[in-house]
Amino acid sequence: MQQTVVDKGEFALLPLSQVLHDNAEPLPHPSDAAGFAAHFDRFADARVLLLGEATHGSSEFYRARAAITRRMIERHGFTVVAIEADWPDAARIDAYVRHHAACPGLADSPVRFPAWMWRNLETLEFADWLRGHNKALPPERRVALRGLDLYSLNQSMHAVVDYLAQVDPAAADAARARYACLFPWVGEPARYGHAVTKGGQHSCENEVVAQLRALLDERIATLGRNGEGWFDAVQNARIVVAAEHYYRALYRGAAESWNLRDRHMFATLQALLAHGGDQTKAVVWAHNSHIGNAAATAMGWRGEFNLGELCRMAHGEEAVLIGFGTDRGLVAAASDWGGPMEVKVIRPARTDS
């Protein structure tokens, strides 16, 4: 590929790789957290700062994101860290960092594959730092850590029922009755999608939507008693609706299920910004495939959009998208979905890429 550039008043054709080389800025190693993160002060005015990763669980990517995020929180007023994790799993970490609960134990750690995505030293170090940062702040100003994903069907249904059992036992009974349609499938929700799409099984869509509406109808009465609890329950009810749709969409095409997942991530992020008020600023941690602008890649050509594209459309220049990449090193990965973790060597980049 060639790129036309101006050089000393004359036009010259240079390879794109040369243009990138000439304009690249070398960064310190992420272990120099202050020096590394200082290079990102130029993005302090963003409302949403999306930080990517080329592989889940790579130490350098996690340390780089943590360094940037700490600086954005300490110096530039960012108030939410939203991560590619399930809402209930992130809620346990959030309770710890905002001093609502003790540190989660191994039994409370994220349960969905890949476990190493969040069960690692870098995540623990950041959570400990965020808890320390929040200690001196009043509760309403403490930085939250929230999950954006939709795979927590079972956990989220139980969270809705548990919340209602505390505030309205009759409403909890109604929620159990509605969710009973999905309870038989919680162990393998993909089988529910197959049964509905291919086997003529009755869809549970009407039931889960009815439960979300019931919670929303009670928002005025409930907000005065327990606004945070209601918000958490509503987000879990939204997850149940999205997950029910997602597992059916799996059997209708990859683009539809992908779009549904990223639309849910975006809607959750928007809900967090609205819930926190006009001063809320969020850092997002997710894979490059979620935080880049899909419209500029082959994803867009095949009908897929993503969180980064939706943020760019909604927030314009107030959304900053930063991807991380490498062409060498070691990664933790599995050969099959749900398989055991293996340490794999990344193949070097092709010179003609």
Side-chain angles (χ1 to χ4, degrees), residues 309-330:
E309 179 182 355
L310 295 174
C311 285
R312 179 63 56 77
M313 292 171 63
H315 299 288
E317 294 184 355
E318 288 190 313
V320 174
L321 289 48
I322 301 176
F324 296 1
T326 184
D327 74 336
R328 68 199 66 194
L330 303 174

Side-chain angles (χ1 to χ4, degrees), residues 132-297:
H133 172 82
N134 281 334
K135 185 176 181 180
L137 299 175
E140 67 275 8
R141 291 183 52 210
R142 290 172 182 166
V143 177
L145 191 146
R146 304 287 201 171
L148 297 175
D149 228 327
L150 51 56
Y151 290 108
S152 58
L153 179 64
N154 185 29
Q155 293 171 281
S156 290
M157 287 194 295
H158 282 95
V160 172
V161 172
D162 290 347
Y163 164 76
L164 289 172
Q166 299 174 24
V167 300
D168 188 342
D173 290 339
R176 289 189 192 95
R178 294 183 181 113
Y179 287 158
C181 177
L182 277 174
F183 279 141
W185 307 95
V186 294
E188 297 181 79
R191 289 182 59 234
Y192 160 78
H194 185 271
V196 173
T197 307
K198 305 294 185 181
Q201 170 73 29
H202 166 69
S203 164
C204 301
E205 181 178 14
N206 290 339
E207 288 86 346
V208 298
V209 170
Q211 181 53 53
L212 174 58
R213 285 174 176 165
L215 273 170
L216 292 174
D217 288 343
E218 294 298 319
R219 59 186 178 275
I220 301 301
T222 307
L223 280 172
R225 298 197 303 268
N226 185 359
E228 280 294 317
W230 176 84
F231 179 71
D232 180 75
V234 166
Q235 290 308 118
N236 277 298
R238 291 187 192 278
I239 289 167
V240 176
V241 172
E244 188 276 333
H245 191 181
Y246 174 81
Y247 287 112
R248 286 189 286 116
L250 281 176
Y251 296 93
R252 295 198 294 266
E256 182 178 354
S257 58
W258 173 275
N259 288 346
L260 193 152
R261 183 181 174 209
D262 274 55
R263 186 187 298 116
H264 172 79
M265 288 186 181
F266 174 72
T268 302
L269 179 60
Q270 293 297 94
L272 290 169
L273 294 174
H275 182 67
D278 292 341
Q279 301 305 310
T280 305
K281 300 171 68 174
V283 179
V284 176
W285 292 3
H287 193 273
N288 285 345
S289 57
H290 293 293
I291 66 98
N293 187 346
T297 72

Side-chain angles (χ1 to χ4, degrees), residues 8-79:
K8 297 181 180 179
E10 299 179 355
F11 285 93
L13 287 175
L14 296 176
L16 180 58
S17 59
Q18 184 64 47
V19 177
L20 294 173
H21 179 274
D22 292 345
N23 289 276
E25 296 182 39
L27 298 173
H29 192 276
S31 59
D32 175 12
F36 177 86
H39 287 264
F40 297 85
D41 284 340
R42 70 194 73 177
F43 306 119
D45 292 337
R47 180 92 194 275
V48 181
L49 177 63
L50 298 97
L51 304 178
E53 58 176 346
T55 60
H56 288 319
S58 293
S59 177
E60 290 83 357
F61 293 153
Y62 279 46
R63 292 189 184 280
R65 287 198 304 201
I68 297 168
T69 304
R70 287 176 57 171
R71 192 171 184 92
M72 292 298 159
I73 291 171
E74 288 180 314
R75 298 191 177 216
H76 305 302
F78 280 72
T79 55

